[in-house]
Amino acid sequence: MPRSLSATMIDAPFALPSLNLTHSPFHEVLNTNYVPNDAEIELIGAHLAPHDAELSRLESIIAALAIQRDRVLNYVAPHRALTSKGRRIPQDILEQIFLACLPTHRNALMHSTEPPLVLARVCSSWRFIAFSTPKLWASLHIPANTIGTRAKMVAMVEWLERSAPHPLMLSVNIANSFETSVLSSLLPFAHRWSRLRLSMPNIHTLFLLSNASGPLLTDLDIVFAPRWYSDLTFRGFPAIRRMSISGDGLAGVPTSMLIDRPVHVTHLNLSDTIKNPPQHTRSYLSSPGIYELVKMCQNQLISLQISTWGFDGLGLHDSLSVVRAPCLQFLSITTAEDYCYSRELAILLVHLQLPQLNSLHLPSYNRRTRQFDNLVLHLTQHSPSLCDVDFGMESNSLPDALSVLITQLSPTLRRLTIRKTTLYYAETTEWPLDLAAFAPRAILPNLWSLETLQILGGVKVTNQSAWIEFVNAHLEYKTSLRNFRLSILGEPPIDQKPSVEWT
């Protein structure tokens, strides 16, 4: 076989016997500022002529070697790929790796740069594995204004069909009241809904759920703007365990409609965001409504969060029967108003027996009645596991309230938060606070487990040395208190300032 020109060039010796590269006739002026004359320039050109020729020869050899190197690489690379470790990963392990790529803080997006779609674009093998892994397509988030064309709607349906038979986790933001086609396209998959979050501007879209049937749906989260309609129900979803509903006018909805099958609900979150409710709505998500909710779900309810516009002081009386909720661990009642009727709220809580209650958050409380003392005593007797208490307090009731809380609350308490709220008819600018009330000698007899103490709302502190004495005393007594937060009058909100911690 005849040898090519490039092969001849490559086989040529690389030694340069005819060129002297160790000594130059111009070595004395090299790397200096010397300027040669015309005669010397001719001599330099003549001296470099063979060297330039050798450079050209070497560059041609390098070019030929590069061509041959690329040819060999192009031959070797696909063979090496056959033996790569990635090809030897079993499909079941690769499926688990794909599943681990899914977002954990939200549902998957139908976007080419995010999993699972981005995984299916790597190679044909990965695409086959991705498309044949149903669990990879079992979650989907649909942002507002993203499903606007028929092609996208078809892609969404194909996505959900690919997930069969796994339960579905869906979150949908509907941009306008006319965009009902998105929810309509999801209804055929209702039998596989497991978690559903709907955010929509109009309640009419939600009526599509009234005739749906979802036996697997356990988590339902609905956010909307306009008011409710009394004939909206969730009879088709008997397995709901966690329900969160928020929107304007929620207080005007009967509790029997909010929870159509209450016996199964374990976690309930209801938030009414209306600013100026009409008079006829003032009897539902107030104390009587909360009482009825607990009564309807008493045997299963674990967590109850109520956020409403406020209480009206009507509806409850001392002759109520006591309701026992043996599983309720978290109870939070917040209002948009600074003030609520403490007597009514106290009557509500005193008529609830919550033996497993761990956390209790209540709005502003009026210390002027004896109901507060009865409430604290009731909690001590019937909620022995209470470890987190968050109370709102009027400015003028703080000293007496602190005394009751510190002397009567359960010794299991680990976190105590007191928030200053202001009466609409008697605004105050500062909050009386005596740090001695929280000195070790004061809290140790009862609150020996207290780890976190927060006093929020604008306290005026004039005696700076009291701070030092307070910290030193707890260090000396080696109490459990490790986190103390105090919002100072005129300072930024406490959430923007670091807490005082010591060990």
Side-chain angles (χ1 to χ4, degrees), residues 78-98:
H79 290 77
R80 293 295 187 194
L82 290 175
T83 62
S84 64
K85 295 182 179 180
R87 290 174 179 259
R88 303 177 64 185
I89 299 178
Q91 180 172 334
D92 56 342
I93 295 180
L94 201 57
E95 290 176 358
Q96 295 301 316
I97 294 175
F98 286 3

Side-chain angles (χ1 to χ4, degrees), residues 142 144 171-176 197-202 221-225:
I142 306 174
S171 51
V172 186
N173 292 347
I174 298 179
N176 56 69
R197 186 183 192 278
L198 296 176
S199 178
M200 60 193 67
N202 196 296
D221 187 350
I222 299 175
V223 180
F224 60 93

